[in-house]
Amino acid sequence: MTPEPAGLAQLRLLRWLSPAVLSAALLAVAAGFGQFGAVAALGDVAKTFGHATGGTTVSEQAGLSGTQLGLGLTVLRLASLAALPLAGLADRFGRRPTVLVNCAIGLALTVSAAASPGYWWFVAIFALGRPFLSATAAIAQVVAAELTATSDRAKAVALIAGGYSLGAGITAIVHSLAASTLGFRGTFALALVPMAFLPFVSHRLVEPDRFAIVAAEPEHGLPVLGAVAPPFRRRLAIVAALAFAVSIITGPANSFLFLYAQNVVRLSGVATAAMVVMAGVLGLVGLLIGQWLADHWGRRPTAAVAMVAIALCGVAAYSAARLALVTGYVLGILCGAVFAPAAGSLANELFPTSVRASVAGWQTTAGILGAVTGLLVFGALVDVSNHFSLAALMTFLPPTGAALLFWLFPETKGREPEELWPGVP
């Protein structure tokens, strides 16, 4: 019989549907609701601050050029780089207080974006709140991973991913059905609703025992920038490379989707809302499939196959046909949901508790840089070719080769982080 890793017996580990894990998922809902507003309402923002004439070019259809939209979305993504130190603070001050403060500030700044007097004002104000919400999502996943044992971890990570997707989906549905009434300003003002629930969530969220044990160490320091020690850096570099590659695909695929649907393909608000609901149902199915595959087939193969499938669905969604748009989008959400439990569990299991939140910050940073790269390339290709389909093909397919990097990791299915780093807090 394999001996239990030191310190594992004293941990209080919870089930994935415990109130504490559900509270972390609610914070992910709030982060998704706040962050996805810029994407869901991008078409309305472009029409409000641009000049849509209904012509044949992308800028005439959307209201702003692909370059302007790409640059604006790039600024929003780059702003999230501040999530690195914000998430890293959870390794010093604790997961619970850090995630709650980040969420509250991020939502408050999102509400402020409703008063934007112009496009670049909107970009600047919304950008201020984005890093706090990015850090919220990253820390929420860490909390879920640390509160659970290996038998529940993929389910808990899937729950966080599902929570974020639910928040994003609510924003998309609300804006699609009530765009003429609320506009983008009303959509952002609705971030007041999740703010009102933060006191309720805070009473049920607990500090993971894994962090409490590490925090009691006499040399517990302030790991923010440069906090990941040499033994962990090779793995961190690979995790960052994968996050960068995946985000080159998902950044533009998700960010331009609703503008493309509403302003170019002319999908109605009701049809867009129905598409989002359908995607939400398949997303739930994907999370169930993803956590089962992660626990039975393995973290690495599940994540690798799903990554390639996400890219193919993105290409299909932008192929200039309404049926392809809907099919590509909903199947892309399904594949993304399959990817999330495996990749999220793997990233958290590969590192010890003392650096886990800092690693999440670096992973978020790499994802932001990848999304920025994808947005700039995609936006420029749209302007040059005047076709979303060609831009999608040239942007989404090349990064899929990075899926092979998953095999540079050990398979963590069925193992606790303490087993991978014995003697390391």
Side-chain angles (χ1 to χ4, degrees):
M1 182 176 180
T2 303
E4 194 172 58
L8 189 56
Q10 60 184 301
L11 296 177
R12 176 188 53 169
L13 299 177
L14 307 177
R15 300 307 300 265
W16 68 285
L17 286 177
S18 66
V21 177
L22 290 174
S23 296
L26 287 175
L27 291 173
V29 172
F33 187 90
Q35 280 200 317
F36 204 69
V39 174
L42 186 60
D44 191 25
V45 171
K47 287 181 177 179
T48 300
F49 298 130
H51 185 60
T53 62
T56 57
T57 68
V58 171
S59 61
E60 289 171 339
Q61 293 171 335
L64 295 170
S65 71
T67 300
Q68 284 178 295
L69 293 167
L71 284 173
L73 291 169
T74 295
V75 171
L76 295 181
R77 294 284 183 166
L78 285 174
S80 289
L81 289 174
L84 170 59
L86 292 173
L89 287 172
D91 279 337
R92 175 63 179 90
F93 297 108
R95 289 29 171 152
R96 182 179 178 276
T98 306
V99 72
L100 289 170
V101 170
N102 275 315
C103 190
I105 295 174
L107 290 174
L109 289 169
T110 299
V111 172
S112 301
S116 304
Y119 176 66
W120 291 110
W121 274 101
F122 160 76
V123 170
I125 297 172
F126 195 83
L128 290 175
R130 193 172 177 89
F132 294 96
L133 296 177
S134 295
T136 297
I139 300 169
Q141 188 178 98
V142 170
V143 169
E146 291 183 344
L147 284 173
T148 52
T150 184
S151 58
D152 280 285
R153 189 167 299 117
K155 299 181 184 70
V157 171
L159 187 65
I160 301 301
Y164 186 90
S165 298
L166 175 62
I170 292 173
T171 305
I173 292 171
V174 168
H175 184 265
S176 297
L177 295 179
S180 59
T181 304
L182 293 175
F184 81 89
R185 301 184 192 279
T187 301
F188 291 134
L190 286 176
L192 288 167
V193 176
M195 280 186 69
F197 281 93
L198 285 182
F200 169 81
V201 173
S202 68
H203 284 100
R204 288 156 180 80
L205 189 69
V206 300
E207 194 69 66
D209 280 2
R210 283 187 162 106
F211 174 79
I213 292 171
V214 172
E217 294 289 325
E219 296 183 1
H220 183 60
L222 182 60
V224 183
L225 290 171
V228 181
F232 319 123
R233 288 177 186 168
R234 178 180 177 274
R235 285 187 183 178
L236 174 60
I238 301 171
V239 166
L242 282 164
F244 182 87
V246 170
S247 296
I248 288 177
I249 303 167
T250 59
N254 295 332
S255 298
F256 282 96
L257 194 284
F258 289 93
L259 176 140
Y260 175 72
Q262 296 163 9
N263 295 21
V264 179
V265 180
R266 305 292 182 183
L267 205 64
S268 70
V270 173
T272 301
M275 178 180 72
V276 174
V277 172
M278 189 188 313
V281 173
L282 285 181
L284 176 59
V285 173
L287 289 172
L288 295 174
I289 294 172
Q291 69 85 16
W292 189 90
L293 288 173
D295 284 338
H296 293 81
W297 190 24
R299 303 344 188 181
R300 298 179 304 175
T302 302
V305 172
M307 176 181 171
V308 176
I310 289 169
L312 295 176
C313 291
V315 171
Y318 286 97
S319 61
R322 290 186 179 183
L323 180 59
L325 165 66
V326 174
T327 303
Y329 173 71
V330 297
L331 290 181
I333 294 297
L334 172 69
C335 295
V338 171
F339 177 84
S345 297
L346 182 66
N348 280 287
E349 290 163 343
L350 285 170
F351 299 93
T353 303
S354 56
V355 299
R356 193 170 290 123
S358 291
V359 168
W362 284 110
Q363 186 180 6
T364 299
T365 298
I368 292 162
L369 294 176
V372 165
T373 301
L375 288 167
L376 291 175
V377 171
F378 190 88
L381 288 172
V382 166
D383 279 346
V384 170
S385 66
N386 207 36
H387 290 288
F388 279 86
S389 56
L390 181 60
L393 189 68
M394 296 179 68
T395 306
F396 301 161
L397 292 187
T400 57
L404 295 173
L405 294 177
F406 280 107
W407 272 268
L408 296 179
F409 297 131
E411 178 55 66
T412 61
K413 171 176 66 76
R415 303 175 70 183
E416 296 292 352
E418 290 78 8
E419 297 177 61
L420 297 171
W421 297 101
V424 179

